[in-house]
């Protein structure tokens, strides 16, 4: 009787340990990136735009965009001179899988400052925030 009870306890403990490990691995894999991670990506993007480092902006884009637009083509169309920017608003939606970011920025052309706003869409792809550039929008504006 004592031997049988010991075997049951060992099996129970092993099942509980397996359940805990499975639960922990599931939770860590399903973790969604948060607003601070998105804010950091937006800062990287717009600092790159101010510094004319457009390849960094391309690298932040979704895989589907990169499949449609080659890096060289993106770089050739990126000729806007942005002098400064500020993040106006970040709104996370769709259970943390999608976000809208509004940026106020200034373009300097021929010594004149022109203020603009951009509304960007960011989505979670492979566990990290990616800029969802629409190819049709790229034809109208080359930010």
């Amino acid at each position: 009787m004592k031997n049988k009870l010991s075997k049951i306890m060992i099996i129970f403990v092993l099942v509980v340990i397996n359940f805990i490990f499975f639960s922990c691995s599931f939770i860590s894999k399903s973790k969604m990136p948060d607003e601070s991670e998105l804010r950091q990506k937006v800062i990287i993007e717009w600092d790159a735009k101010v510094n004319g480092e457009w390849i960094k902006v391309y690298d932040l884009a979704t895989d589907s965009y990169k499949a449609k637009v080659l890096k060289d083509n993106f770089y050739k169309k990126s000729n806007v001179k942005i002098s400064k920017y500020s993040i106006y608003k970040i709104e996370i939606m769709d259970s943390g899988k999608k976000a809208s970011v509004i940026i106020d920025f200034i373009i300097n052309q021929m010594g004149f400052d022109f203020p603009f706003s951009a509304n960007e869409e960011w989505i979670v792809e492979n566990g990290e925030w990616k800029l969802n550039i629409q190819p049709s929008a790229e034809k109208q504006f080359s930010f």
Side-chain angles (χ1 to χ4, degrees):
M1 176 80 171
K2 186 176 179 183
N3 201 13
K4 188 175 181 181
L5 186 59
S6 295
K7 287 181 182 180
I8 291 173
M9 285 299 291
I10 290 172
I11 291 172
F12 177 74
V13 169
L14 290 174
V15 168
V16 169
I17 290 172
N18 281 332
F19 177 75
I20 291 170
F21 282 127
F22 175 75
S23 297
C24 290
S25 68
F26 178 75
I27 290 169
S28 67
K29 287 180 184 176
S30 64
K31 179 190 171 286
M32 298 296 289
D34 63 13
E35 183 177 325
S36 65
E37 292 169 311
L38 174 58
R39 181 175 295 277
Q40 188 59 38
K41 293 275 188 168
V42 172
I43 290 169
I44 290 168
E45 173 203 6
W46 283 87
D47 282 351
K49 287 180 178 184
V50 168
N51 295 323
E53 298 170 326
W54 291 93
I55 298 306
K56 287 183 180 179
V57 177
Y58 180 86
D59 291 339
L60 293 169
T62 60
D63 290 342
S64 63
Y65 178 80
K66 292 178 196 175
K68 295 174 190 166
V69 178
L70 297 174
K71 192 179 276 195
D72 288 341
N73 290 343
F74 179 83
Y75 183 75
K76 288 175 187 175
K77 295 179 183 181
S78 304
N79 58 1
V80 175
K81 303 283 187 210
I82 298 170
S83 58
K84 59 183 168 180
Y85 73 92
S86 64
I87 300 171
Y88 177 73
K89 182 180 178 183
I90 294 178
E91 181 180 0
I92 308 256
M93 306 170 281
D94 196 19
S95 301
K97 297 177 186 173
K98 185 176 173 182
S100 173
V101 178
I102 299 174
I103 305 289
D104 293 329
F105 62 100
I106 295 176
I107 294 176
N108 186 288
Q109 290 290 78
M110 297 170 46
F112 294 98
D113 288 338
F114 296 96
F116 290 93
S117 288
N119 189 350
E120 299 179 332
E121 180 180 79
W122 289 76
I123 60 173
V124 175
E125 183 177 86
N126 300 321
E128 64 179 312
W129 287 109
K130 292 290 187 171
L131 180 59
N132 192 19
I133 303 171
Q134 300 298 321
S136 61
E138 181 206 46
K139 293 175 187 171
Q140 295 173 1
F141 305 101
S142 296
F143 299 148

